[in-house]
Structure formats: structure tokens, C-alpha cells
């Protein structure tokens, strides 16, 4: 037997108006409230089914629905999905908030049931899982009848979800017989409480001031403002569908008094005897305690002046849901520099690590650029149990640094042939560290060479053993260094080695030794890396290289002397007389006189020598 426990006056209409107004207010709030940054509304709910009642649905029944949902792999934390309740016929949601959990207790999202619909917000779970889906359930009150066999719910994206109604529609309530004993029932309210209904025949409320004592389960909270007491004539019962205007509402403090006995009980005392041919109804609400779960049972017991204890129980059915997904994980890589050369590596130096792994869709490859300062780079959203391979490209050379082997390390990281492998865990991140060892590079040295080249039209006059001296000079930490090189004319190079890299060497040539018939030109230095400067050349020493300088000396033939003056041509006029024969005779005479003097001197010397010999013999 169904007992109409709803008021038969204007209150149902008022509650419907309040529900409609609340729905409009919530809609308005939804229109003006700013959307969460980067959140998207998903059409995740795919189906819904009425599971209770299972045979017929009547007006004011509590309807339990179950729905299936699934979100795309692109869903992000903060994304939402929702389902709006029908307005024709009107269904009003029983408010509730719950978390959707996976089998391990991880929170997938949080859902809230309001008067007009259910809305769910996804958690970080979707960032670490693919194929996230599940079910949820919620309750609504049937506030209108309909002959249609279906209800139309609507997703947040406007997709209709058609639900079949058991029995083919929402039916009117069935008539109930006149209660002959105290009767108590309870139902959940749309705002998260319990509304209790107590019917007592007036014939059981005896005495001058009849009393009704009500006791409810500890933990429930009485809402005094919801207490409502009144009566209707038994003759007007009409199966419970009495005319609301025939129901008499009693006034607090005038027609009855309220005494709160304990935290979970109260007493009502009538100010006058009860009417024996009337039915008295006490109606009030209690608030459910925090943390109430589906399946929790609450009791309510009522006693009166002349009736025995009557107890009602209510098993709470709120809302809930859950789901699951294929776990995802990720990995990170960070760089560390070790060794005596670490201080020479600039902070903005970068190192490239390549990664690869296989999925059902095919191989995946990528690379991470790591900074020398240890900043972590991350890759997420990889299916659980995926094996990732890491390898580092050769490091960019750094002056003064010799790179050692790179070594991967970290919990769950395995070194394989100079690379590394790691296995992705469920909702975890494997942290790999890549360390590059360094040593200081030994000092670098180089050198230079100089060779001679003779050019010009006098090269054949230059002796094969001719030498040319080139002086060099450069600065070191210990001071200035000078030296010289003797270059052969045949072009054989002379070399100076073991000079520090970066040393600037200045070359100059001494003046070339004179060669008969040769005029030396200006010497010219040349060669890759050789710069001609005033008076010579300069070059800079490179690492493990020899700068080759070539010195060219132009040699030109001495030009022939100018021609002597020619004698006058015969027939031309002469001046000063004919002196030619006289001059010749004078010269001949002088020669003869000179010869005579010489002969006379020799004779004198011989005579003197003869006398001297004679004297020595006489002795």
C-alpha cells in the first residue's frame, strides 16, 4: 500500500516554484560566472537508465538513475562534463556532492548534483591515464506526471540522452486508505536532508493537552523552522487526495508548543483536545550529517498520548560513481657537469638527449635540450610499462675542456651500451640524471715556418749558398722572446715550434747581402694566416698547426753604364790649333827620360853591391 506523505495544500506548488526559481538562479549564475581557465566542457555522458523504481514511477517518487561516461584521452585536469535534468516533466535533483574514485582509491573527479542537473570536474587523474571512463548514479524527484514513455536529459554540449521510463510514464499517486493507527514515513529532500511525515488519528490523541514525542537517530539535526502541524477531517481524506483548502494548519505557540528535549528528540503539546474525527499530520525535516554515505540507515520513532511507539527507517541513497583508466606515467632528465673542467662550461651550454619508445600506434621519438644548470626536462603521458631508451648526442666542444663519458643514473634507470633504459610506472615519473665528466685540456701549442723565394730576372746570379736572415719576436708570460732564422736561397723552410696557441709572432728580414750585378727589391711576406705589416709581417699561432710564411725577394739585373763621348766627326770645324802631334811627342819624351832614370839607378845599386863584396873578401 502506498501512503501519500506529501502535503495536500499549496505547499507542493510553492516548492515547485522555489525549485524553478532556484534553477533559474543557478542558470543565471552559470551565465555570469567566469569559466575556469583553459577548462573545456566534454560530452562525456553516453547513456542513462532508471534503476529505481523498476516497475512503475509515480508522482513524487524518488528516481535513481545510473549513467555511463567516458572522456577522451585529450581531457585535461579541470575539464568538466554535465547532464541537465528534464523540465517537462520536471525532475528535481536531490543535492549531493561526491568524488569519483578508481579501484585504488584515486580521485578521478568531483561531481555535484543540484536541482537542475549533475556536473563533474576532472582531476589530475586524466593527465596520467588514458581511456578514462566509468559510471555514476544520482537521484531526482518526479514533480510532474507524463504519459510519454521517455525522458530527455541533455549533456553540457547539447547532446540529448533518452531514458526509458519503467511502466511507460510518470503516473499519478495511488489512493491510500484512511490511517487507523499512527503512521510514520520519511523521504530524502532535494537539499540533502530527510523529511519526516507522521499521521495520527485524532482518536489516539487523548487528554486535555495531547502530546507527540519524536525521537530520531543521533547525528541528524532538527530544523525547527520546518515543523508543520495540522489536521484534516477523516471524511475529507479522499484516498489522500484531499482538497488542500480543507487542511487546517495549526499555529505555533497558539495551537501547540514545542519543547526540544535533547539533541535528537522533541515534544509537541496541543493547546486543546484533539478532534477525534480528524487525522493529524506532523511534518518536519532533519539535516543529514556530514560524510553520510549511500546505505546509511536513519530511524525515527514517535509516541503519543494514547498510541504506542511507531518507528520509521530510511536508508540513504545519495549519489556516487567511479571509474578507471589505463595508467600513464613519464620521465624527466636533468644534466650535471662534474670534474675539474666543470667551471669552464658556460651555464647556457646545451646538451641534446634523444628518446624513443614503442606504442600500439607505432614508434615514438623525440629529443630534449638540457641546460648545464641542471634544469629538468619532462615527458609525460606515456603508457604504463613502456620501455624508453635514452641516448645523448656528442657534447659541443668547450675551449679548455676535455669531455669524458656521459653516464645516466637514477632509480629505475638502467645503463645499456652507453645509453639508458627506463620503464614507465603508473602515475609516476622516473627521474634520470645525466652526468658529463670533464678534465682540463692540456696546453695547446703550434709553430711557424719561413721559406725563401727569389724572383726576378737576376735569379741566376744568386749563389746557391746565399743566405737570408729573418728575425722573429713574440711575447710570453715570462717576457719578450726574439730569434732569427737563416734561410737558404733554395727555398728550404726553417721552423720554430712549441709556441703557445694564440701567440702573435712578428717577422722582419735583415737587408740581403749584396750580389754583383744584382739589385734587391722590397721583400714580401705571404701565406695563409700571414698579415703584412709595416716593415715585415705578423702571424698567430694555432693549435697543433704550423703557420707557413713565404718570403719573396725580387732580384733584378744591374743596368749597363751610359755610352762614352764620341770623337768629333771629320769635316767639322776645330778650334785652338793642331795639338795632336805635339802631345804625342811630349809623352814619348817623358817615357824615355823615365826609363833612363830607372837604368841609372840600377847601375848605381850594382856598383855599390860589388864594392861591399870586395871588402868582405879582403878581411
Amino acid at each position: 500500500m502506498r501512503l501519500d506523505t506529501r502535503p495536500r495544500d499549496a505547499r507542493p506548488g510553492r516548492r515547485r516554484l522555489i525549485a524553478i526559481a532556484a534553477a533559474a538562479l543557478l542558470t543565471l549564475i552559470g551565465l555570469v560566472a567566469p569559466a575556469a581557465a583553459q577548462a573545456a566542457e566534454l560530452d562525456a555522458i553516453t547513456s542513462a537508465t532508471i534503476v529505481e523504481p523498476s516497475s512503475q514511477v509515480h508522482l513524487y517518487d524518488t528516481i535513481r538513475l545510473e549513467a555511463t561516461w567516458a572522456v577522451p584521452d585529450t581531457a585535461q585536469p579541470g575539464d568538466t562534463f554535465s547532464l541537465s535534468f528534464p523540465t517537462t516533466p520536471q525532475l528535481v535533483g536531490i543535492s549531493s556532492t561526491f568524488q569519483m574514485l578508481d579501484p585504488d582509491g584515486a580521485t578521478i573527479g568531483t561531481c555535484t548534483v543540484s536541482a537542475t542537473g549533475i556536473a563533474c570536474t576532472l582531476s589530475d587523474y586524466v593527465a596520467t591515464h588514458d581511456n578514462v571512463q566509468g559510471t555514476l548514479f544520482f537521484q531526482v524527484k518526479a514533480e510532474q506526471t507524463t504519459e510519454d514513455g521517455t525522458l530527455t536529459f541533455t549533456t553540457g554540449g547539447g547532446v540529448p540522452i533518452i531514458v526509458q521510463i519503467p511502466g511507460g510514464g510518470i503516473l499519478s499517486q495511488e489512493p491510500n486508505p484512511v490511517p487507523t493507527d499512527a503512521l510514520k514515513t520519511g523521504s530524502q529532500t532535494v537539499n540533502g536532508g530527510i523529511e519526516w511525515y507522521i499521521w495520527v488519528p485524532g482518536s489516539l490523541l487523548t487528554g486535555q493537552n495531547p502530546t507527540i514525542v519524536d525521537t530520531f537517530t543521533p547525528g541528524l539535526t532538527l530544523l525547527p523552522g520546518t515543523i508543520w502541524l495540522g489536521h484534516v477531517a477523516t471524511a475529507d481524506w479522499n484516498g489522500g487526495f484531499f482538497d488542500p483548502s480543507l487542511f487546517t494548519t495549526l499555529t505555533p505557540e497558539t495551537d501547540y508548543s514545542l519543547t526540544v528535549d535533547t539533541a535528537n528528540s522533541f515534544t509537541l503539546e496541543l493547546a486543546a483536545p484533539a478532534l477525534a474525527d480528524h487525522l493529524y499530520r506532523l511534518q518536519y525535516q532533519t539535516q543529514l550529517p556530514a560524510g553520510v554515505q549511500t546505505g546509511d540507515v536513519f530511524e525515527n520513532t514517535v509516541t503519543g498520548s494514547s498510541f504506542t511507539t511507531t518507528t520509521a527507517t530510511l536508508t540513504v541513497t545519495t549519489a556516487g560513481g567511479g571509474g578507471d583508466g589505463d595508467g600513464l606515467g613519464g620521465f624527466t632528465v636533468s644534466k650535471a657537469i662534474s670534474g675539474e673542467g666543470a667551471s669552464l662550461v658556460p651555464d647556457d651550454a646545451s646538451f641534446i638527449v634523444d628518446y624513443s619508445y614503442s606504442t600500439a600506434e607505432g614508434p615514438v621519438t623525440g629529443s630534449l635540450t638540457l641546460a648545464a644548470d641542471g634544469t629538468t626536462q619532462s615527458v609525460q603521458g606515456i603508457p604504463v610499462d613502456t620501455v624508453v631508451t635514452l641516448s645523448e648526442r656528442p657534447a659541443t666542444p668547450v675551449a679548455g675542456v676535455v669531455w669524458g663519458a656521459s653516464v645516466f643514473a637514477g632509480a629505475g634507470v638502467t645503463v645499456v651500451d652507453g645509453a639508458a633504459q627506463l620503464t614507465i610506472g603508473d602515475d609516476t615519473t622516473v627521474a634520470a640524471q645525466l652526468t658529463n665528466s670533464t678534465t682540463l685540456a692540456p696546453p695547446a701549442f703550434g709553430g711557424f715556418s719561413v721559406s725563401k723565394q727569389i724572383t726576378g730576372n737576376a735569379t741566376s746570379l744568386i749563389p746557391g749558398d746565399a743566405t737570408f736572415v729573418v728575425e722573429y719576436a713574440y711575447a710570453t708570460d715570462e717576457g719578450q722572446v726574439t730569434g732569427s732564422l737563416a734561410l737558404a736561397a733554395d727555398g728550404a723552410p726553417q721552423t720554430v715550434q712549441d709556441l703557445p696557441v694564440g701567440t702573435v709572432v712578428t717577422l722582419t728580414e735583415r737587408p740581403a747581402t749584396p750580389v754583383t750585378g744584382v739589385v734587391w727589391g722590397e721583400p714580401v711576406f705571404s701565406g695563409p694566416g700571414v698579415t703584412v705589416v709595416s716593415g715585415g709581417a705578423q702571424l698567430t699561432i694555432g693549435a697543433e698547426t704550423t703557420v707557413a710564411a713565404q718570403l719573396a725577394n725580387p732580384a733584378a739585373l744591374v743596368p749597363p753604364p751610359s755610352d762614352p763621348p764620341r770623337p768629333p766627326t771629320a769635316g767639322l770645324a776645330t778650334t785652338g790649333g793642331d795639338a795632336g802631334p805635339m802631345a804625342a811627342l811630349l809623352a814619348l819624351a817623358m817615357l824615355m827620360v823615365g826609363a833612363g832614370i830607372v837604368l841609372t839607378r840600377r847601375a848605381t845599386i850594382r856598383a855599390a853591391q860589388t864594392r861591399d863584396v870586395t871588402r868582405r873578401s879582403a878581411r
Side-chain angles (χ1 to χ4, degrees), residues 225-240:
T226 63
I227 295 177
W228 187 25
L229 181 62
H231 56 85
V232 64
T234 303
D236 297 326
W237 175 250
N238 191 30

Side-chain angles (χ1 to χ4, degrees), residues 101-128:
L101 306 178
D102 78 351
D104 296 325
T107 300
I108 301 173
T110 300
C111 299
T112 298
V113 182
S114 66
T116 59
I118 180 171
C120 300
T121 301
L122 298 173
S123 73
D124 292 343
Y125 187 90
V126 295
T128 57

Side-chain angles (χ1 to χ4, degrees), residues 180-184 198-201 204-205 211-213 300-311:
T180 58
D181 199 354
L183 180 67
K184 187 168 191 177
I198 304 163
W199 287 96
V200 181
L204 299 180
L205 295 171
T211 60
I212 299 174
V213 179
N300 196 313
T301 301
V302 62
T303 58
S305 300
S306 301
F307 63 91
T308 57
T309 299
T310 298
T311 300

Side-chain angles (χ1 to χ4, degrees), residues 303-329:
T303 58
S305 300
S306 301
F307 63 91
T308 57
T309 299
T310 298
T311 300
T313 61
L314 175 72
T315 301
V316 172
T317 302
T318 55
D324 202 355
D326 299 332
L328 299 176

Side-chain angles (χ1 to χ4, degrees), residues 423-442:
T423 301
I424 300 300
D426 187 3
D427 197 16
T428 60
T429 298
V430 182
Q433 187 178 61
L434 177 58
T435 301
N436 288 62
S437 60
T438 64
T439 57
L440 292 175

Side-chain angles (χ1 to χ4, degrees), residues 225-299:
T226 63
I227 295 177
W228 187 25
L229 181 62
H231 56 85
V232 64
T234 303
D236 297 326
W237 175 250
N238 191 30
F241 300 110
F242 53 83
D243 186 342
S245 64
L246 301 177
F247 187 87
T248 301
T249 300
L250 300 181
T251 304
E253 306 300 332
T254 300
D255 297 324
Y256 67 91
S257 62
L258 167 67
T259 302
V260 177
D261 302 319
T262 65
N264 65 311
S265 69
F266 64 91
T267 299
L268 292 180
E269 183 178 4
L270 298 180
L275 301 176
D277 59 350
H278 280 63
L279 294 169
Y280 284 76
R281 185 186 66 200
L282 170 62
Q283 179 180 332
Y284 70 94
Q285 293 182 16
T286 54
Q287 186 67 44
L288 289 169
V292 65
Q293 301 292 323
T294 295
D296 290 348
V297 178
F298 295 92
E299 292 185 348

Side-chain angles (χ1 to χ4, degrees), residues 230-597:
H231 56 85
V232 64
T234 303
D236 297 326
W237 175 250
N238 191 30
F241 300 110
F242 53 83
D243 186 342
S245 64
L246 301 177
F247 187 87
T248 301
T249 300
L250 300 181
T251 304
E253 306 300 332
T254 300
D255 297 324
Y256 67 91
S257 62
L258 167 67
T259 302
V260 177
D261 302 319
T262 65
N264 65 311
S265 69
F266 64 91
T267 299
L268 292 180
E269 183 178 4
L270 298 180
L275 301 176
D277 59 350
H278 280 63
L279 294 169
Y280 284 76
R281 185 186 66 200
L282 170 62
Q283 179 180 332
Y284 70 94
Q285 293 182 16
T286 54
Q287 186 67 44
L288 289 169
V292 65
Q293 301 292 323
T294 295
D296 290 348
V297 178
F298 295 92
E299 292 185 348
N300 196 313
T301 301
V302 62
T303 58
S305 300
S306 301
F307 63 91
T308 57
T309 299
T310 298
T311 300
T313 61
L314 175 72
T315 301
V316 172
T317 302
T318 55
D324 202 355
D326 299 332
L328 299 176
F331 68 91
T332 62
V333 186
S334 61
K335 170 62 64 175
I337 308 296
S338 66
E340 57 187 3
S343 61
L344 299 180
V345 179
D347 289 340
D348 60 354
S350 60
F351 306 81
I352 298 178
V353 171
D354 295 315
Y355 64 86
S356 62
Y357 57 89
S358 297
T359 67
E361 291 75 27
V364 176
T365 60
S367 62
L368 300 174
T369 300
L370 307 181
D373 62 5
T375 301
T376 297
Q377 296 295 321
S378 176
V379 178
Q380 296 293 338
I382 304 175
V384 171
D385 295 330
T386 298
V387 176
V388 180
T389 299
L390 305 174
S391 61
E392 185 180 33
R393 300 180 191 177
T396 302
V398 175
V401 173
V402 176
W403 291 110
S406 56
V407 178
F408 286 94
V413 178
T414 303
V415 176
V416 180
D417 296 332
Q421 287 186 336
L422 53 87
T423 301
I424 300 300
D426 187 3
D427 197 16
T428 60
T429 298
V430 182
Q433 187 178 61
L434 177 58
T435 301
N436 288 62
S437 60
T438 64
T439 57
L440 292 175
F445 296 95
F448 69 92
S449 66
V450 186
S451 61
K452 172 60 66 177
Q453 181 185 25
I454 308 298
T455 63
N457 58 7
T459 56
S460 61
L461 299 181
I462 308 303
D465 59 354
T467 59
F468 304 82
V469 178
V470 172
E471 295 178 338
Y472 60 85
Y474 57 88
T476 68
D477 293 339
E478 290 75 26
Q480 190 77 2
V481 176
T482 60
S484 62
L485 301 173
L487 306 181
D490 61 4
Q494 295 295 313
T495 302
V496 177
Q497 294 291 351
D498 298 329
L499 275 66
V501 170
T503 300
V504 177
V505 180
T506 300
L507 304 174
T508 57
E509 185 181 34
R510 296 178 189 173
T513 302
V515 176
T516 302
V518 175
V519 177
W520 292 110
E522 187 71 24
V524 178
F525 286 95
S526 63
V530 178
T531 302
V532 176
V533 297
S534 177
Q538 285 186 338
L539 54 86
T540 301
I541 301 301
E544 306 299 329
T545 61
T546 299
V547 182
Q550 190 175 62
L551 177 57
N553 287 61
L557 293 172
V558 175
S562 302
D563 294 337
R566 295 181 180 180
T569 305
L572 293 179
T574 59
T575 59
D578 189 3
M582 291 297 293
L585 291 175
L586 180 59
L588 179 60
M590 291 179 67
L591 288 173
M592 292 177 65
V593 171
I597 293 172

